[in-house]
Amino acid sequence: MESTSTDNVVAQAWTGFTPGHWQDAIDVRDFIQKNYTPYEGDASFLEGPTQKTLDLWDTLEENYLSKERKVRILDVDTHTPADIDAFPAGYISDEDDVVVGLQTDSPLKRAMMPNGGWRMVETAIKEAGKEVDPEVKKIFTRYRKTHNDAVFDIYTPRIRAARSSHIITGLPDAYGRGRIIGDYRRVALYGVDKLIEDKQKMKDSVATEHFSEHWARYREEHSEQIKALKKLKHLGEIYGFDISGPAKNSKEAVQWLYFGYLASVKSQDGAAMSIGRLSGFLDIYFERDFKNGTLTESEAQELIDNLVMKLRIVRFLRTIDYDQIFSGDPYWATWSDAGFGDDGRTLVTKTSFRLLQTLRNLGPAPEPNITIFWDPELPEGYKDFCAAISIETSSIQYEADKQIRGMWGDDAAIACCVSPMQIGKQMQFFGARVNAAKSLLYAINGGRDEMTGKQVTEKGLFHPVEGDGPLDFDEVWQKYEEMLDWVVGTYVEALNIIHYCHDRYAYESIEMALHDSEIIRTMGCGIAGLSIVADSLSAIKYAKVYPVRDETGLVVDYRTEGTFPIYGNDDDRADDIAATVVHTIMSKIKAIPMYRDAIPTQSVLTITSNVVYGKATGSFPSGHQKGTPFSPGANPENGMDSHGMVASMLSVGKLNYKDALDGISLTNTITPQGLGRNKDEQVKNLVGIMDAGFMAENEDI
């Protein structure tokens, strides 16, 4: 009788949906493709915020956000190690009942997550002006080994040297690695009981195998995932919801989905905790309820507004040093949207518009990191609305849909800023970045640090450039390649250690429970300082560069005579050097075995950490000065692009995407006044610029 009753609940929840493979297996993409309604109209249907939304946002601002801005960290729970169901229910106010759930029991109160490392937690608590609970400290320093403890037990001397000299910065060896997008839609479509049943089935499918490390880990990880799903079910109960079965309407679909995401941010403090690709999925529920007469447009917008409101108040307990690396306190709740399906239909829905409307209804904000998969063929009404919202808020990021879809499929999303992956079928071992620019200075100085004079590489392993005459390009390039072997080898060795330890001591059980049992793993490597390397090598090749040495013979500056081509101005001479650097580093990464046979990828990305990298790096032949910030991502060097935005996009388009499958970042700043005399002209011109730039990107696939 119980099975029949469950079947009836599921049938009721799925009434009105087009059947398909998604009913027989966990397959959210199939559900979306068979049920979503593409939208090619304009934004005229949208509604403003409801009074309840405005009142709740005002309460947040008055009682919490305004106070937090004065103190950096509003509050910390120092007694309760975080977990999915560790805290009682919390609300913004008595009127907080549209989408419920907080990380702790009070808005903006941060929880400690010591599985990553106790030292960082203790430092963050003290920096917040709080006292450490001695009993909790005893547990995580005496009885419970942390990820950070394990990593430093294994680190080699050269990893420690590279880490302390900042040629490698931001390694996730004391906090959650992030870059894992749970398929939170599964909670709404199937309910938790079905997900538990599926995981138990997969665990038992290998019960008769002979013992091996893989076999044992597979079964243990599935057990951890099942435990996490049971805690997720309990989290729903804490807030008065039974999420064992699938969502029956739009409100439940949003709430169930959010509980899945909330469970993740309650239990992991990853550098990026992205939420995935939700609009098309939720739009299916909205459209069904519209047809049933049980939902209005105002109510649909209210649900999206309140979901986004909750995403804006996620907080993690971080140290001041961490904030400096990432230029603030971001967590990249990236929400990916738009693009096209493999069948040629646009994935733009009315809820794609509703998401952008939150930036008007709630005001601009960096979270969630709204990311649009752009293609010149997107519906004109949607492109115009994206451009209008970008001009108003500067709060939207754009990615090349054709490149992402061609490599990762049409149900991919961005983790963090530029890292694409298939939702629920792929995860990334996040790995921060190597300082490719500083590596060039190490090559010239034989492994000595230009800031401290310290010999960082093994003594006698590398020989510096000798003499005071002009630097020879071929000699410098050979030494750079040799130095990159050492830097990349050290970097990947550190990443393998980190992710081995993370799986053992800080496993993301709930996020992985919302994945398939067999998944693709990538190793997300990255580089910083590309434009500086390209311009410096260009200066050495096309001008005359003289090294300036201190009394010990260390090269600390350069004197450059003559002109040289500059990367970022659509000049093949400089752009080809940049592309060669990216390809060379990726080739060296690929040559090294990866933990769990991960596929190595690379990003050209320093959206936030470019300031920290710059502080730790000396002067360059390009004219870049010691201690000054790098340009972000794949951008031209600060102030060196003289041919405009489209030229810089064309330069970046020459980087081979296959050498940087983890993503390439280009940040451009345009004032609205520079786009035209009135709003219509500005929108038209911005759309034109993006179409031109992304068309060039698409031609390079």
Side-chain angles (χ1 to χ4, degrees):
M1 291 298 294
E2 182 179 347
S3 176
T4 302
S5 176
T6 301
D7 290 344
N8 289 336
V9 170
V10 171
Q12 179 187 357
W14 291 350
T15 298
F17 294 148
T18 301
H21 180 257
W22 62 271
Q23 295 173 302
D24 303 317
I26 307 297
D27 191 346
V28 177
R29 180 193 175 273
D30 183 65
F31 169 74
I32 293 170
Q33 288 294 312
K34 287 187 167 60
N35 287 280
Y36 87 99
T37 304
Y39 180 66
E40 299 195 5
D42 60 22
S44 58
F45 72 93
L46 289 168
E47 295 281 349
T50 63
Q51 190 59 50
K52 174 173 278 192
T53 296
L54 291 173
D55 290 345
L56 200 60
W57 189 240
D58 287 345
T59 299
L60 260 177
E61 172 60 31
E62 182 178 348
N63 295 341
Y64 301 100
L65 293 169
S66 63
K67 295 178 180 177
E68 183 188 53
R69 283 192 288 270
K70 298 175 182 177
V71 295
R72 180 176 168 264
I73 292 180
L74 185 63
D75 197 8
V76 181
D77 186 306
T78 61
H79 306 291
T80 312
D83 202 353
I84 294 168
D85 56 353
F87 293 93
Y91 300 89
I92 297 170
S93 72
D94 292 340
E95 300 301 311
D96 182 10
D97 60 3
V98 178
V99 179
V100 302
L102 301 177
Q103 279 177 290
T104 58
D105 57 352
S106 179
L108 309 186
K109 181 191 286 187
R110 306 182 190 219
M112 54 180 171
M113 299 185 181
N115 288 340
W118 176 256
R119 182 169 53 86
M120 181 171 147
V121 168
E122 182 169 11
T123 300
I125 288 173
K126 291 178 178 178
E127 288 175 349
K130 304 290 183 179
E131 295 293 327
V132 171
D133 185 325
E135 289 302 312
V136 176
K137 180 175 181 177
K138 180 189 293 185
I139 292 170
F140 288 95
T141 55
R142 183 179 299 183
Y143 303 119
R144 192 359 175 127
K145 189 170 186 175
T146 68
H147 163 230
N148 184 249
D149 291 334
V151 166
F152 276 87
D153 280 349
I154 304 174
Y155 268 172
T156 61
R158 71 173 187 168
I159 294 175
R160 289 173 179 263
R163 190 179 185 275
S164 63
S165 69
H166 305 292
I167 199 165
I168 303 173
T169 298
L171 291 169
D173 51 18
Y175 59 91
R177 54 191 165 194
R179 302 270 181 99
I180 302 174
I181 307 174
D183 190 354
Y184 306 111
R185 306 167 302 185
R186 296 184 182 192
V187 183
L189 184 57
Y190 297 107
V192 178
D193 281 355
K194 175 64 176 176
L195 301 180
I196 292 174
E197 176 188 325
D198 180 70
K199 287 296 180 181
Q200 188 65 53
K201 178 181 176 181
M202 296 309 297
K203 176 186 174 182
D204 292 341
S205 68
V206 297
T208 58
E209 288 192 11
H210 294 296
F211 182 87
S212 68
E213 185 176 349
H214 172 75
W215 175 85
R217 176 159 58 184
Y218 183 92
R219 288 185 56 80
E220 182 183 25
E221 287 183 349
H222 275 70
S223 291
E224 291 300 311
Q225 292 172 22
I226 291 167
K227 291 174 188 175
L229 288 168
K230 290 177 179 178
K231 289 179 181 180
L232 170 58
K233 190 173 172 179
H234 183 225
L235 173 63
E237 293 168 356
I238 289 172
Y239 282 92
F241 292 95
D242 179 2
I243 62 174
S244 59
K248 299 182 291 296
N249 54 50
S250 298
K251 183 176 174 63
E252 288 190 354
V254 174
Q255 184 65 67
W256 272 219
L257 180 154
Y258 174 61
F259 276 141
Y261 182 73
L262 184 62
S264 296
V265 296
K266 277 175 169 284
S267 56
Q268 283 290 332
D269 63 342
M273 298 294 288
S274 301
I275 198 166
R277 193 179 183 110
L278 311 180
S279 297
F281 176 81
L282 291 176
D283 197 79
I284 296 168
Y285 287 86
F286 292 161
E287 287 295 317
R288 184 181 67 170
D289 286 359
F290 287 145
K291 291 176 183 177
N292 293 338
T294 57
L295 186 74
T296 66
E297 179 56 43
S298 180
E299 290 169 335
Q301 187 64 54
E302 184 179 62
L303 284 167
I304 298 299
D305 285 345
N306 278 259
L307 175 58
V308 166
M309 191 185 307
K310 289 299 194 297
L311 299 182
R312 289 189 181 188
I313 58 173
V314 169
R315 298 289 187 273
F316 294 112
L317 181 61
R318 309 289 202 193
T319 63
I320 292 173
D321 283 348
Y322 178 97
D323 288 357
Q324 289 176 345
I325 291 174
F326 293 99
S327 298
D329 188 20
Y331 69 97
W332 290 290
T334 305
W335 183 324
S336 303
D337 209 342
F340 283 90
D342 290 340
D343 61 4
R345 292 184 298 163
T346 179
L347 290 167
V348 172
T349 64
K350 284 189 172 181
T351 300
S352 303
F353 282 79
R354 294 179 185 113
L355 173 62
L356 297 180
Q357 180 74 349
T358 65
L359 293 168
R360 285 178 170 168
N361 289 354
L362 301 176
E367 301 286 3
N369 178 22
I370 298 174
T371 299
I372 306 302
F373 287 0
W374 189 272
D375 188 286
E377 299 302 316
L378 284 174
E380 292 299 325
Y382 183 68
K383 292 199 297 183
D384 289 348
F385 192 56
C386 286
I389 296 295
S390 284
I391 290 167
E392 292 173 22
T393 68
S394 298
S395 297
I396 306 177
Q397 174 177 285
Y398 297 93
E399 303 276 351
D401 176 64
K402 190 174 180 181
Q403 289 193 339
I404 292 171
R405 178 163 39 89
M407 188 61 63
W408 308 110
D410 61 6
D411 196 38
I414 298 297
C416 192
C417 308
V418 297
S419 305
M421 59 192 65
Q422 301 174 65
I423 302 175
K425 300 179 181 300
Q426 180 181 341
M427 61 86 75
Q428 181 190 103
F429 294 137
F430 164 61
R433 281 157 288 281
V434 296
N435 192 331
K438 193 177 182 74
S439 300
L440 178 62
L441 302 184
Y442 272 38
I444 292 170
N445 279 311
R448 287 180 68 193
D449 191 277
E450 75 285 354
M451 302 288 278
T452 65
K454 182 179 178 181
Q455 183 69 43
V456 175
T457 65
E458 295 85 340
K459 191 172 182 179
L461 185 60
F462 300 104
H463 299 289
V465 171
E466 297 179 349
D468 297 323
L471 296 176
D472 178 75
F473 177 83
D474 291 335
E475 180 188 8
V476 171
W477 178 257
Q478 181 181 347
K479 289 183 177 295
Y480 187 44
E481 277 219 62
E482 292 170 354
M483 183 57 63
L484 286 175
D485 285 332
W486 186 91
V487 173
V488 169
T490 305
Y491 176 43
V492 175
E493 183 178 67
L495 296 185
N496 284 334
I497 291 168
I498 287 167
H499 295 296
Y500 165 81
C501 295
H502 205 295
D503 275 349
R504 292 190 68 190
Y505 298 101
Y507 180 66
E508 301 91 341
S509 54
I510 188 60
E511 290 166 272
M512 298 312 299
L514 300 175
H515 279 70
D516 291 353
S517 290
E518 295 291 348
I519 61 167
I520 298 169
R521 293 177 175 86
T522 60
M523 183 69 78
C525 305
I527 59 172
L530 175 63
S531 60
I532 301 173
V533 176
D535 290 349
S536 294
L537 289 171
S538 177
I540 294 169
K541 186 173 185 177
Y542 294 102
K544 291 185 177 180
V545 176
Y546 297 87
V548 177
R549 302 178 185 275
D550 67 9
E551 63 278 3
T552 69
L554 182 73
V555 178
V556 294
D557 206 349
Y558 300 87
R559 179 169 56 86
T560 300
E561 296 179 357
T563 60
F564 53 93
I566 302 295
Y567 165 74
N569 293 285
D570 195 22
D571 186 322
D572 286 346
R573 294 173 297 169
D575 298 344
D576 287 349
I577 291 175
T580 299
V581 169
V582 174
H583 176 74
T584 299
I585 294 176
M586 188 66 240
S587 297
K588 295 180 184 300
I589 292 170
K590 284 181 178 179
I592 304 172
M594 300 288 161
Y595 171 64
R596 293 187 84 163
D597 296 322
I599 299 169
T601 62
Q602 178 177 214
S603 65
V604 186
L605 169 68
T606 45
I607 286 180
T608 55
S609 53
N610 48 304
V611 175
V612 171
Y613 278 103
K615 284 183 179 179
T617 306
S619 297
F620 286 85
S622 64
H624 185 94
Q625 293 299 301
K626 171 182 175 180
T628 57
F630 289 4
S631 61
N635 275 49
E637 177 65 336
N638 296 321
M640 300 288 273
D641 50 330
S642 57
H643 288 62
M645 178 177 172
V646 173
S648 70
M649 295 175 80
L650 293 172
S651 289
V652 171
K654 295 172 191 175
L655 303 178
N656 192 328
Y657 181 54
K658 292 180 180 178
D659 289 327
L661 290 175
D662 195 38
I664 302 169
S665 166
L666 173 65
T667 305
N668 275 307
T669 301
I670 312 174
T671 61
Q673 294 76 16
L675 288 168
R677 292 164 295 182
N678 56 55
K679 185 68 174 288
D680 290 343
E681 192 173 293
Q682 292 167 2
V683 167
K684 179 182 177 181
N685 287 336
L686 182 54
V687 169
I689 289 171
M690 290 194 291
D691 280 350
F694 280 100
M695 193 172 294
E697 297 275 343
N698 289 343
E699 289 172 355
D700 288 336
I701 294 178

